[in-house]
């Protein structure tokens, strides 16, 4: 059975909710592994057929812990996961585009195949209090995450990618 790895990091719960929604939908289509960025490693990437990366945007970049995941895993899997499909999701306070570009550049270095444009969910958190507060992602936006998880898992299972 095809395996989908979903790697996420979340400080205030938004990206975690997004990753969990994608994983819940994917489980009906493929073996799905949901791991936090501090727990995922090169062996997880090598054992999986496709990926979803989900992170918050912090200060116009991916969160430090997600960047550390990529730093830790980049060279051990370089040249060994080429052509595998991926999608990405970003939980942002205002924009999210730079975090999406950053993850796309890393995926390009790995020669992964983007199968879905980045999904950016904007919480519009602009004050220190709102930025640091626990996030609640609305169900209609979580449905977009579910669609990404289900579609990527189904594509893996059917051998489309």
């Amino acid at each position: 059975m095809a395996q989908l790895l979903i790697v996420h990091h979340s400080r205030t719960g938004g990206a975690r909710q997004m990753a969990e929604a994608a994983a819940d939908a994917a489980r009906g289509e493929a073996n799905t592994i949901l791991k936090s960025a501090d727990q995922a490693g090169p062996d997880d990437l090598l054992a999986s057929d496709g990926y979803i990366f989900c992170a918050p945007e912090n200060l116009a970049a991916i969160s430090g812990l997600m960047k550390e995941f990529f730093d830790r895993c980049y060279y051990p899997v370089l040249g060994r996961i080429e052509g595998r499909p991926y999608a990405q999701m970003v939980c942002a306070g205002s924009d999210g585009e730079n975090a999406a570009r950053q993850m796309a550049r890393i995926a390009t270095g790995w020669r992964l195949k983007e199968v879905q444009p980045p999904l950016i969910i904007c919480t519009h958190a602009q004050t220190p209090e709102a930025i640091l507060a626990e996030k609640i992602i609305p169900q209609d936006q979580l449905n977009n995450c579910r669609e990404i998880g289900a579609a990527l898992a189904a594509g893996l299972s059917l051998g489309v990618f």
Side-chain angles (χ1 to χ4, degrees):
M1 179 180 243
Q3 182 164 294
L4 174 63
L5 174 65
I6 302 174
V7 179
H8 69 94
H9 175 247
S10 187
R11 292 188 192 282
T12 60
R16 178 188 44 76
Q17 292 168 57
M18 294 168 65
E20 288 172 350
D24 288 344
R27 286 190 179 104
E29 301 290 339
N31 183 32
T32 303
I33 308 297
L34 176 65
K35 284 205 169 183
S36 62
D38 61 336
Q39 298 297 311
D43 290 341
D44 298 304
L45 289 161
L46 293 170
S48 298
D49 302 298
Y51 317 102
I52 298 175
F53 304 114
C54 182
E57 181 177 58
N58 296 146
L59 303 173
I62 58 175
S63 65
L65 199 57
M66 193 69 173
K67 175 69 167 63
E68 196 274 333
F69 158 76
F70 287 121
D71 288 345
R72 211 171 6 89
C73 297
Y74 190 82
Y75 290 108
V77 303
L78 187 62
R80 301 170 69 189
I81 60 172
E82 292 178 359
R84 295 181 191 182
Y86 86 97
Q88 61 166 305
M89 302 184 297
V90 175
C91 185
S94 58
D95 181 64
E97 293 290 333
N98 196 52
R101 276 192 297 276
Q102 197 176 11
M103 284 195 281
R105 297 248 352 220
I106 293 164
T108 297
W110 273 338
R111 308 295 189 263
L112 298 178
K113 181 172 131 186
E114 182 183 68
V115 297
Q116 164 89 25
L119 172 64
I120 299 172
I121 293 180
C122 185
T123 65
H124 304 286
Q126 295 299 303
T127 64
E129 296 78 20
I131 291 166
L132 296 172
E134 277 295 307
K135 305 299 182 286
I136 298 174
I137 306 298
Q139 286 301 314
D140 63 322
Q141 292 180 330
L142 290 177
N143 286 339
N144 295 330
C145 302
R146 289 182 188 99
E147 288 174 9
I148 289 173
L152 188 46
L156 287 173
S157 292
L158 294 171
V160 172
F161 306 121

